[in-house]
Structure formats: structure tokens, C-alpha cells
């Protein structure tokens, strides 16, 4: 099995929406199943959503839904990308993604809908009631984070694990793995907490607020190397 698609390396050269969608295509091919013609929503379904909402969706939103909106393995393993018919306006934002128990939601502020690739905000338990927190400054980048997160949370048996970061700090991770070039993303469940991503060939790591670490690997041997690099109480190690 090839481990040639390095997430950090591939994302480092990304510029603009087209580059982001190219990254998503490459990630799907290298880590999941290549994107196909039926993996996105059709123009009619997107247009129906726009008529129901009463406004046009930003270009990046339309492109993402049209490219991979139906791919639940990339969008909806833990949290959920809403279908076009489920998109709704709540508290001044177009909500497009929800946490699996509706404890948080991601959206585009109505004031930003005129932008081709608008910023995304997240609203959840860690913020003041009703106060959206800036998440990422482009919807397309938020899609990258979504695809990575849902892939980690949906790791196949024997290729994923997670652990509390007792005794291991972010510096220990950074000394062994390359920081993925995504900005810190607010972690809705922890006040002031952020999510950071790290990678190596065949390995993807998600560090949450310096408290929890998630690992996804392309092979069992790559996952074993992560456990060896960062020894501790990996919750699924007994199953491997």
C-alpha cells in the first residue's frame, strides 16, 4: 500500500480554491477512495436549496457540495455536513455542519455570503451563548479541516488510535512530526483550546488543546511507529 501522499507536504503548495479541491482529490485517492462523478450534489439540488433559502450560496460552498458533498466518509463520520436540503439560517449564519449531538455548529455569517470563499465561524459549548468564534478565514480551508477530521474519526480498524496526552506536550509531537500548514482551529468543546495537525508520510495526527491526540495511519506498521514515537496509553493498541 502506497504511503506517498504526505498531507503536510501536499497542503503546503496549495493556493486558492482550485488548489484546495485538488488537495481533497489527492487525499481521497491516497487515503480513502478516489472521488467519482456521483460524489457531489447536482446543480439542481444546489439550486433548489438556494431558492428555499432565498439567496445564492457562495462559490466555494457550491463547488464543495458539487465535488464531494455526498462522500460521508470524508464529511460525516463524527460530525455531519448538512445536505443542501438541510441548510438553514440560524442566529445570523448559514449553518452547514453540525456536531453529532448538536452541541456545536459551523456556519458562514450572512454578512459574508457575498464573498466567493467566505470565512467560517463555529458556535459551541466553549463560547458565550450564541457567540460565534472565528474558525478559519476561508470556507475551502474549513473543508480541508473537515475532511481531515472526519477521516481521523472514521479510521479503519487497525489504522487509527487515540490517547490522552499525559506526559507528552505539543513540543514532543512537533519534534517528530511536521506541522500541517493549517492555522490553529478553535476547539468548540474547550474554552481557549485549539486543534493542531501534524503529519509524516503515511501518518496524520490531530492534537486537541494539548489534551488529546488522534492518529490515522496508512498501514499498521506506520501506526506502530507513532505509538513507539509517542509512547503512552493508546486506547486501541490492544486490538492491533
Amino acid at each position: 500500500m502506497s504511503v506517498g501522499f504526505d498531507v503536510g507536504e501536499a497542503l503546503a503548495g496549495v493556493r486558492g480554491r482550485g488548489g484546495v479541491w485538488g488537495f481533497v482529490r489527492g487525499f481521497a485517492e491516497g487515503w480513502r477512495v478516489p472521488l467519482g462523478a456521483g460524489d457531489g450534489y447536482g446543480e439542481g439540488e444546489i439550486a433548489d436549496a438556494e431558492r428555499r433559502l432565498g439567496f445564492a450560496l457562495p462559490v466555494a460552498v457550491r463547488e464543495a457540495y458539487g465535488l464531494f458533498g455526498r462522500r460521508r466518509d470524508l464529511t460525516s463520520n463524527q460530525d455531519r455536513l448538512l445536505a443542501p436540503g438541510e441548510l438553514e439560517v440560524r442566529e445570523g449564519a448559514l449553518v452547514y455542519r453540525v456536531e453529532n449531538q448538536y452541541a456545536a455548529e459551523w456556519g458562514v455569517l450572512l454578512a459574508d455570503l457575498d464573498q466567493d470563499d467566505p470565512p467560517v465561524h463555529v458556535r459551541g459549548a466553549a463560547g458565550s451563548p450564541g457567540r460565534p468564534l472565528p474558525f478559519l478565514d476561508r470556507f475551502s480551508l474549513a473543508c480541508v479541516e473537515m475532511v481531515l477530521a472526519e477521516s481521523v474519526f472514521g479510521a479503519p480498524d487497525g489504522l487509527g488510535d487515540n490517547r490522552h496526552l499525559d506526559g507528552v506536550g505539543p513540543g514532543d509531537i512537533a519534534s517528530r512530526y511536521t506541522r500541517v500548514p493549517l492555522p490553529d482551529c478553535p476547539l468548540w468543546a474547550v474554552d481557549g483550546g485549539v486543534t493542531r495537525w501534524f503529519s509524516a508520510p503515511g501518518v496524520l495526527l490531530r492534537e486537541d488543546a494539548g489534551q488529546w491526540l488522534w492518529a490515522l495511519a496508512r498501514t499498521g506498521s506506520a501506526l506502530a511507529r507513532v505509538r513507539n514515537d509517542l509512547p503512552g496509553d493508546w486506547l486501541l493498541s490492544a486490538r492491533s
Side-chain angles (χ1 to χ4, degrees):
M1 180 180 291
S2 172
V3 295
F5 187 90
D6 183 297
V7 171
E9 184 178 278
L11 195 58
V14 165
R15 299 290 182 273
R17 298 193 318 275
V20 168
W21 308 143
F23 171 86
V24 172
R25 286 185 182 278
F27 181 84
E29 181 173 0
W31 286 74
R32 284 288 184 259
V33 176
L35 294 181
D39 288 343
Y41 289 96
E43 172 63 28
E45 293 168 287
I46 296 172
D48 285 346
E50 292 177 321
R51 282 190 289 270
R52 176 178 56 82
L53 292 165
F55 52 76
L57 297 173
V59 174
V61 176
R62 289 179 124 264
E63 290 174 344
Y65 272 90
L67 179 63
F68 62 93
R70 293 185 182 275
R71 282 287 297 270
R72 296 184 62 83
D73 60 324
L74 300 175
T75 66
S76 303
N77 281 309
Q78 168 76 14
D79 306 321
R80 186 167 67 91
L81 177 70
L82 299 180
E86 299 174 307
L87 293 171
E88 62 178 303
V89 173
R90 286 203 293 270
E91 300 185 50
L94 172 68
V95 176
Y96 71 90
R97 185 183 180 209
V98 295
E99 193 267 343
N100 64 6
Q101 296 181 330
Y102 287 84
E105 56 190 29
W106 290 258
V108 175
L109 299 183
L110 297 184
D112 294 329
L113 288 176
D114 60 339
Q115 301 181 39
D116 286 349
D117 198 358
V120 166
H121 288 69
V122 63
R123 183 163 38 223
S128 301
R131 181 171 65 89
L133 300 172
F135 185 68
L136 284 169
D137 63 4
R138 287 190 284 152
F139 178 85
S140 58
L141 283 184
C143 286
V144 170
E145 202 280 339
M146 174 179 65
V147 165
L148 298 184
E150 297 306 314
S151 297
V152 165
F153 292 141
D157 288 346
L159 297 180
D161 208 343
N162 63 97
R163 55 162 293 189
H164 192 274
L165 278 175
D166 51 320
V168 177
D172 298 305
I173 303 171
S175 69
R176 294 171 173 85
Y177 295 89
T178 301
R179 177 74 188 273
V180 171
L182 275 176
D184 291 353
C185 301
L187 185 61
W188 63 265
V190 179
D191 194 13
V194 298
T195 291
R196 299 181 179 92
W197 292 89
F198 299 84
S199 72
V203 171
L204 179 62
L205 302 176
R206 170 182 165 129
E207 176 252 308
D208 284 343
Q211 299 177 8
W212 208 265
L213 182 65
W214 302 82
L216 172 66
R218 293 285 284 118
T219 65
S221 59
L223 183 59
R225 287 196 299 272
V226 174
R227 291 170 176 151
N228 184 66
D229 286 344
L230 302 167
D233 187 17
W234 288 93
L235 298 186
L236 303 180
S237 58
R239 301 183 189 178
S240 300

